[in-house]
Amino acid sequence: MDADLLRADVAALYPQYGLRVAHAGTVLVGPTDEELLELAAVVAEPGGVVEPGRESELLGWPVDEGDAAARRFLEGAWRLREAPTAVRWRAPLAVIDGGRALGLAVLSHDHHDPAGTVRTSSWLARAEQGRGLGRRVRLMLLELAFGHLGAVRAVTAAAEGNAASLRVSQRCGYRETHRGPGPEGVVEVHLAVTPAAWRRRRLPDVDVDGVDAFRAAVGG
């Protein structure tokens, strides 16, 4: 079946899967199982996402690989398929570039987050890192959050040693708010960005679709 038809069927039940953000050939869309399997293959490959021995730079990223890593990724991604509500929602978005699934971005809001606060997270295949795609994906997420969902603050976190992720956040306008203990004793750096800081870095000509149905589901 056509991927967009599959996406539409899932979006009828989970409207966050109908979200679509596009800019300069890069598209963020709710992932189909086919796309999740593509990403699972990346995760399963040794060094597919993070250089071996540096797994602690990705918060909570296990050191397993192969089938165990693929299963762990898929099970986590499938758990994101939950009905969104005003107090808790999660919008996973596959990063599609050049017709291939290269990573996963997630925009979310949890029940203990202040009103108007969203969380941003993302990862890319290691082979795609270092060419500016990570920054573009983050700014596309912020376009969705600030430009279309009415968020007033976006937060993220990275391990203290993850210089690349921290650099992307800073280039998108995030500023450090505090530090604290993360998984397995890693120091976790927390950052936040406001709409005003984002607007100075806003990407031009970003197309966003599927927002109305999603906003209706979360009471926006």
Side-chain angles (χ1 to χ4, degrees):
M1 183 182 286
D2 179 86
D4 287 336
L5 291 177
L6 282 173
R7 233 184 300 279
D9 286 344
V10 175
L13 299 172
Y14 305 100
Q16 63 269 44
Y17 282 78
L19 294 169
R20 182 181 186 276
V21 187
H23 178 264
T26 300
V27 182
L28 308 183
V29 286
T32 64
D33 275 354
E34 182 177 359
E35 288 155 352
L36 289 177
L37 285 168
E38 288 183 50
L39 295 176
V42 173
V43 172
E45 181 183 351
V49 176
V50 60
E51 184 178 341
R54 303 182 67 176
E55 289 84 3
S56 64
E57 292 184 6
L58 294 183
L59 294 171
W61 194 269
V63 297
D64 56 4
E65 56 189 43
D67 289 348
R71 283 193 295 268
R72 183 251 310 157
F73 166 74
L74 288 171
E75 289 163 5
W78 288 330
R79 282 195 294 271
L80 297 176
R81 290 180 182 172
E82 59 181 43
T85 67
V87 296
R88 174 185 166 93
W89 53 263
R90 302 178 183 194
L93 298 160
V95 179
I96 310 295
D97 193 78
R100 298 180 298 132
L102 305 180
L104 188 71
V106 180
L107 186 68
S108 63
H109 173 81
D110 219 332
H111 61 89
H112 52 70
D113 293 331
T117 293
V118 295
R119 304 181 186 201
T120 58
S121 64
S122 60
W123 62 263
L124 293 172
R126 189 156 69 100
E128 308 301 329
Q129 297 170 18
R131 61 183 180 94
L133 183 58
R135 177 176 178 270
R136 187 193 307 174
V137 167
R138 189 79 64 85
L139 288 173
M140 291 168 69
L141 274 184
L142 294 178
E143 179 72 39
L144 174 61
F146 291 144
H148 296 268
L149 297 179
V152 298
R153 185 171 182 260
V155 299
T156 193
E160 184 180 44
N162 192 343
S165 178
L166 293 171
R167 186 164 53 250
V168 167
S169 295
Q170 291 159 359
R171 291 185 64 204
C172 292
Y174 291 75
R175 293 293 177 263
E176 182 178 333
T177 57
H178 63 284
R179 300 188 177 206
E184 300 180 3
V186 173
V187 175
E188 194 170 11
V189 182
H190 297 263
L191 307 98
V193 61
T194 63
W198 158 73
R199 285 190 191 98
R200 293 193 290 272
R201 301 158 177 84
R202 189 177 192 177
L203 294 173
D205 303 320
V206 178
D207 294 323
V208 179
D209 295 304
V211 174
D212 290 345
F214 178 68
R215 289 191 64 165
V218 299

